[in-house]
Amino acid sequence: MVGGIAVNDQGAVYLFDEDKTFAHRLMIFKPKTPGVFTEYEYGGEIISGGLGQPVPQSPVLDDAGNIYTREEGSVEKYSPTGVRLCEFQFSKGGIRSLTVNPATGEPFFFSYKDRKVHQLEACSGGKFAPAADGEFSAVPQRSNIEAMAFNPGLEWPSGILGVERPAGVLYAGAPEECPAVGSCPKEAQGQSSLGYIFAQPIPDLEPVVVSESVSKVRPTSATLNAMVNPQGATTTYIFQYMTRTAFEEEGKTFTGASEAPFGGGGLGAGQVAVLGSATVGGLAPDTEYLYRVVASSENGTVPGPTQSFRTFQLASDVLPDGRAYELVSPAQKNGGEVIPANPGFASCGTECKPGLAGKRFPALASSGGNLISYQSQPFVFNEGALEYDEQVSARTVSGWQTTSLSPPMAGDPGGAGFQAFGLSGALSSAIVYARNQALVPEAPAGYLNFFLEQTSNRFGLDPLITNANATLHRPATGLESLELTYAGASADYSRQFFEANDGLSPEAVDGGAGKNNLYEWSGGQLHAVNLLPGATESTPGAAFGSGLLLGSPAPTAANFSHAISPDGSRVYWTGAGGKSYLRLNGSQTIEVPGPG
């Protein structure tokens, strides 16, 4: 069985082979006559081993003729004569593919365990060491990367502002099988459908403030704008503004200045100038203001030059009680759009989520009306979800400020997105349904999962299903894949409830892909809800609330309304036979009398 092949610049062929006894060898075949590649002869074994020994595969060569191989959890380097020169042990394992920069001897490998490409430094003292910032993921991420190659000679044109990108490019390919049996010819199964090109990173550069401007000046408000080039690093911006009088009193500094947007805004990590804006309110009429933008990234903080504007005089036709329409969403949306309750009113018509098949993200206002959540397309490039985002706008003394809640997600598959917000009225918590790419290492990689998010930190995600609290029997994708349905939570969000077609907790029986179990998550643990009175194991084929009309040829949608008490101690559910039950305090089940 051939496990890899490599050719050097003299035409010598290195071929890995494994026979039926699992003995393995790296053989070399050389041209019978130098320079003539029509006839080859066997040149002997370079690396060999027997049954039960590690199996190096995927040989690749550097310019010096050294041989690099990979195993499940290691990378090794051999001399052209088969002497081992260097090794690297990867604790996570799952090494799938390997290549090397032939000019420098720096290996690259992909692991399906963490779904990342890893770069190693050149061999030193018999060991490879991980390169600084040498981990990265493919975006969008689909199947495992099965093959890679490195071209060290490719040079890039001069970058933005004359910055030169180092020469060299890494190529990678990820085959992807047909989504379902019969959807494509058998011979097309596994054909490559996605390729990646990774460029060398440019040197760390501070963001550059290209320009600043002001627009939509009113008696008590104005919109501040700035064009900022992030120069390849994730960059945020914030405007500082104050009256000229206050500026002079503070020694011509912005000490004590007001700031907007609230908490700062995102500009992404591109290499071209992008627009950042903030609408500020509560200004004094007929007053001169000074302002500047401050752009920040991991490479530095850069303030823009000080600019000025003057508000207009207050008009006389303002309503006596001060009522007025307030623009909640940002004025500058960079091509994005708020998606209203009726998708037919949006410019994208029925194509807008939910459209014909999608599920709408929740829209909610806090009890005091100072916070509003709503669905939109992204307002900032390279932040949040790729297609549909969830925003929270907050009323502040400077006007309405908007923050994206969505963590980085590769698309919007299978109804992914926000499911619910905390019921406390402060919108402080949310449930996100997303496929775990590189979001949270303790969650199963590649699976759609529910994440508890604190809305003050869109990167702070607690998965409801983790590698520690659940045993997965279903795959992440395919006809028999894991399917989840969110049902609700207690008012304080400490207890979460969902359905899954799998036996995740010790007392939950796996009833197959078509039968759901019901789960409560609390304190990082999962417990099955659908236990019949006196039972110690679950009975699959259940639903929260009124459930589906189980057993009916045309089941209707589930109704979770009032199925969960405010403190989460009482949960109603329906079994496969149509009977209803009450699960009390997670420890007792009571049958509800009546026909169902």
Side-chain angles (χ1 to χ4, degrees):
M1 179 180 68
V2 176
I5 188 170
V7 182
N8 69 12
D9 56 2
Q10 282 80 44
V13 177
Y14 296 82
L15 180 68
F16 172 85
D17 177 62
E18 181 179 279
D19 63 22
K20 294 182 179 179
T21 67
F22 299 102
H24 52 274
R25 61 194 62 80
L26 185 63
M27 303 179 293
I28 182 171
F29 296 85
K30 297 182 178 181
K32 192 171 185 180
T33 303
V36 179
F37 306 121
T38 56
E39 290 187 76
Y40 278 78
E41 60 184 6
Y42 179 56
E45 297 178 355
I46 304 298
I47 308 168
S48 62
L51 179 65
Q53 293 181 327
V55 183
Q57 299 188 49
S58 305
V60 290
L61 306 175
D62 63 18
D63 288 344
N66 297 306
I67 307 160
Y68 299 75
T69 66
R70 57 95 180 171
E71 299 170 12
E72 172 72 14
S74 66
V75 175
E76 296 181 332
K77 175 183 178 180
Y78 294 86
S79 72
T81 59
V83 178
R84 189 166 72 174
L85 303 176
C86 210
E87 66 175 347
F88 174 76
Q89 297 294 327
F90 186 56
S91 60
K92 295 181 180 178
I95 298 178
R96 191 81 171 215
S97 53
L98 172 72
T99 192
V100 67
N101 181 340
T104 65
E106 298 170 292
F108 296 81
F109 67 85
F110 172 82
S111 170
Y112 64 84
K113 290 295 183 65
D114 62 5
R115 299 179 66 82
K116 291 182 179 180
V117 176
H118 298 259
Q119 179 182 359
L120 304 178
E121 295 179 350
C123 181
S124 176
K127 298 290 184 180
F128 292 113
D133 299 323
E135 296 184 7
F136 50 91
S137 300
V139 178
Q141 194 173 68
R142 306 281 174 83
S143 301
N144 293 322
I145 291 177
E146 302 286 355
M148 296 189 293
F150 194 91
N151 178 1
L154 180 63
E155 294 185 354
W156 300 88
S158 296
I160 305 300
L161 301 180
V163 176
E164 296 293 336
R165 183 184 293 276
V169 62
L170 175 66
Y171 300 95
E176 186 162 287
E177 295 183 356
C178 298
V181 176
S183 62
C184 59
K186 183 177 180 180
E187 59 270 17
Q189 295 282 339
Q191 288 186 351
S192 179
S193 61
L194 194 64
Y196 302 101
I197 298 176
F198 300 103
Q200 298 273 61
I202 63 174
D204 294 338
L205 298 171
E206 294 180 340
V208 172
V209 177
V210 177
S211 64
E212 296 171 299
S213 63
V214 63
S215 60
K216 299 183 180 178
V217 178
R218 303 287 189 267
T220 59
S221 65
T223 298
L224 308 180
N225 310 295
M227 296 295 293
V228 178
N229 183 349
Q231 299 214 95
T234 300
T235 299
T236 61
Y237 72 94
I238 198 163
F239 288 97
Q240 297 176 333
Y241 63 97
M242 61 198 311
T243 65
R244 177 175 287 278
T245 300
F247 183 79
E248 298 287 347
E249 291 174 351
E250 293 293 341
K252 297 186 177 181
T253 69
F254 282 91
T255 303
S258 299
E259 295 184 337
F262 179 74
L267 296 170
Q271 298 178 48
V272 296
V274 291
L275 176 66
S277 297
T279 298
V280 298
L283 306 181
D286 193 22
T287 302
E288 184 179 9
Y289 281 83
L290 301 183
Y291 74 96
R292 70 177 181 181
V293 71
V294 179
S296 301
S297 74
E298 61 183 8
N299 300 326
T301 298
V302 178
T306 300
Q307 307 285 354
S308 67
F309 68 92
R310 177 175 287 276
T311 56
F312 292 110
Q313 293 182 353
L314 192 64
S316 59
D317 57 352
V318 175
L319 292 174
D321 59 3
R323 286 180 298 151
Y325 285 104
E326 298 178 46
L327 180 61
V328 171
S329 61
Q332 298 294 334
K333 298 179 178 63
N334 299 301
E337 182 175 3
V338 173
I339 298 178
N342 184 340
F345 293 133
S347 64
C348 48
T350 57
E351 295 178 2
C352 275
K353 189 182 184 77
L356 301 177
K359 181 179 178 181
R360 176 157 304 282
F361 298 172
L364 198 65
S366 65
S367 56
N370 290 322
L371 288 167
I372 299 175
S373 70
Y374 54 93
Q375 186 180 348
S376 74
Q377 295 161 336
F379 296 157
V380 178
F381 176 72
N382 207 27
E383 279 198 4
L386 292 182
E387 295 183 46
Y388 301 107
D389 216 336
E390 186 81 6
Q391 312 285 348
V392 164
S393 293
R395 182 191 277 118
T396 71
V397 294
S398 302
W400 285 90
Q401 309 296 337
T402 299
T403 303
S404 166
L405 295 184
S406 295
M409 293 185 287
D412 188 35
F418 283 78
Q419 304 293 300
F421 283 90
L423 304 179
S424 63
L427 308 185
S428 59
S429 302
I431 290 291
V432 185
Y433 188 41
R435 193 174 301 279
N436 185 33
Q437 304 279 355
L439 296 177
V440 185
E442 60 266 24
Y447 277 84
L448 282 165
N449 201 342
F450 292 121
F451 296 87
L452 179 61
E453 174 188 331
Q454 302 304 313
T455 56
S456 59
N457 177 18
R458 65 190 180 96
F459 295 100
L461 301 168
D462 292 324
L464 300 196
I465 299 176
T466 68
N467 295 313
N469 71 8
T471 301
L472 293 167
H473 304 89
R474 310 261 79 79
T477 58
L479 296 177
E480 299 292 318
S481 63
L482 178 70
E483 296 181 357
L484 306 174
T485 303
Y486 185 72
S490 60
D492 63 2
Y493 256 40
S494 64
R495 303 170 77 163
Q496 300 286 335
F497 299 87
F498 64 92
E499 302 179 6
N501 61 339
D502 202 346
L504 303 179
S505 62
E507 71 277 10
V509 177
D510 178 16
K515 292 187 176 181
N516 280 359
N517 282 299
L518 316 180
Y519 295 97
E520 174 186 342
W521 174 93
S522 60
Q525 301 296 318
L526 288 180
H527 300 285
V529 172
N530 55 313
L531 276 66
L532 294 174
T536 59
E537 292 185 337
S538 70
T539 302
F544 282 104
S546 66
L548 305 177
L549 294 178
L550 300 171
S552 168
T556 59
N559 182 358
F560 302 150
S561 178
H562 302 295
I564 301 167
S565 66
D567 63 358
S569 64
R570 297 168 179 253
V571 182
Y572 288 91
W573 60 280
T574 302
K579 285 187 174 297
S580 296
Y581 300 90
L582 168 65
R583 186 68 173 171
L584 184 62
N585 293 318
S587 60
Q588 180 185 6
T589 300
I590 302 171
E591 182 177 338
V592 177

